[in-house]
């Protein structure tokens, strides 16, 4: 299970550094949201948000929430890998967590992309549809990843049921 240990290490490193960044963003956010004099341009997925009006603040807040949802999904994935290391694989908790991870990844992606899409329409007075083929930050990849986790949840549920039926027949 060397791959599992490598995965856990990578997730732990990612979790640690992202958590530091998230704490910085959460500390900075009230100054941005409630301060009138903050004139720092913020770039989200290549879209620069330069205005300091209420709508721009809502878009920034939506993207911070989106990032925190994704961070929580990484926390849950670390938890699942920890359960796998303890050999607790076919477990109701694992099934629930996989389903929750899928929903969180989809909610994170939708929140971020829809808020930026509306921002482009309202503030920039133009819109474009960008599928970012081949990028890891792609909307389609994020939705697919979320659906994948939900499918894994269903597969684990079926496998758990089959394992229970198999144990009853012996």
């Amino acid at each position: 299970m060397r791959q599992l240990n490598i995965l856990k290490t990578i997730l732990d490193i990612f979790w640690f550094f992202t958590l530091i960044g998230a704490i910085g963003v959460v500390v900075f956010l009230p100054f941005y949201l409630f301060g009138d004099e903050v004139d720092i341009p913020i770039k989200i997925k290549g879209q620069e948000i330069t205005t300091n009006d209420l709508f721009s603040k809502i878009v920034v807040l939506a993207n911070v929430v989106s990032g925190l949802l994704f961070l929580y999904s990484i926390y849950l994935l670390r938890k699942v890998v920890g359960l796998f290391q303890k050999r607790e694989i076919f477990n109701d908790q694992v099934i629930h967590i996989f389903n929750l991870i899928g929903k969180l990844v989809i909610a994170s992606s939708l929140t971020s992309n829809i808020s930026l899409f509306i921002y482009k329409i309202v503030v920039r007075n133009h819109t474009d549809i960008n599928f970012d083929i081949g990028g890891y930050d792609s909307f389609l990849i994020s939705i697919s990843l979320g659906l994948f986790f939900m499918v894994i949840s269903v597969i684990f549920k079926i496998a758990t049921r089959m394992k229970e039926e198999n144990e009853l027949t012996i």
Side-chain angles (χ1 to χ4, degrees):
M1 293 300 247
R2 209 171 86 185
Q3 295 92 344
L4 198 59
N5 292 332
I6 293 170
L7 176 61
K8 179 78 166 114
T9 303
I10 290 171
L11 287 174
D12 287 345
I13 291 169
F14 179 78
W15 168 255
F16 176 74
F17 287 114
T18 307
L19 189 61
I20 291 172
I23 291 170
V25 167
V26 169
V27 168
F28 167 74
L29 188 63
F31 295 112
Y32 179 77
L33 293 178
F34 302 115
D36 294 331
E37 312 245 341
V38 178
D39 195 25
I40 300 171
I42 296 175
K43 196 175 241 185
I44 301 171
K45 292 188 177 184
Q47 182 68 42
E48 192 168 305
I49 304 197
T50 54
T51 58
N52 201 16
D53 61 347
L54 178 64
F55 189 70
S56 298
K57 290 178 180 183
I58 291 171
V59 169
V60 170
L61 179 63
N63 279 278
V64 168
V65 169
S66 170
L68 293 175
L69 289 174
F70 184 75
L71 184 61
Y72 184 57
S73 69
I74 296 299
Y75 168 77
L76 292 174
L77 187 57
R78 288 177 60 237
K79 193 173 182 178
V80 168
V81 172
L83 288 170
F84 285 174
Q85 286 178 327
K86 295 176 188 174
R87 305 274 193 242
E88 296 179 30
I89 297 171
F90 297 109
N91 183 329
D92 287 337
Q93 186 179 11
V94 171
I95 294 167
H96 173 72
I97 292 174
F98 271 141
N99 192 29
L100 185 57
I101 290 171
K103 289 177 182 177
L104 287 170
V105 169
I106 290 172
S108 172
S109 182
L110 286 174
T111 302
S112 177
N113 285 295
I114 288 174
S115 67
L116 285 174
F117 182 75
I118 293 171
Y119 176 80
K120 287 178 188 177
I121 290 173
V122 172
V123 175
R124 304 277 185 195
N125 292 326
H126 83 282
T127 185
D128 59 351
I129 297 175
N130 192 359
F131 288 110
D132 294 331
I133 304 291
Y136 293 108
D137 199 20
S138 168
F139 177 67
L140 293 176
I141 293 295
S142 298
I143 296 296
S144 299
L145 188 61
L147 290 172
F148 175 75
F149 277 109
M150 293 170 78
V151 167
I152 290 293
S153 169
V154 172
I155 290 170
F156 270 62
K157 187 181 236 178
I158 292 169
T160 302
R161 213 175 307 130
M162 290 175 70
K163 180 184 175 210
E164 289 172 359
E165 289 174 4
N166 190 24
E167 288 174 355
L168 289 175
T169 56
I170 293 179

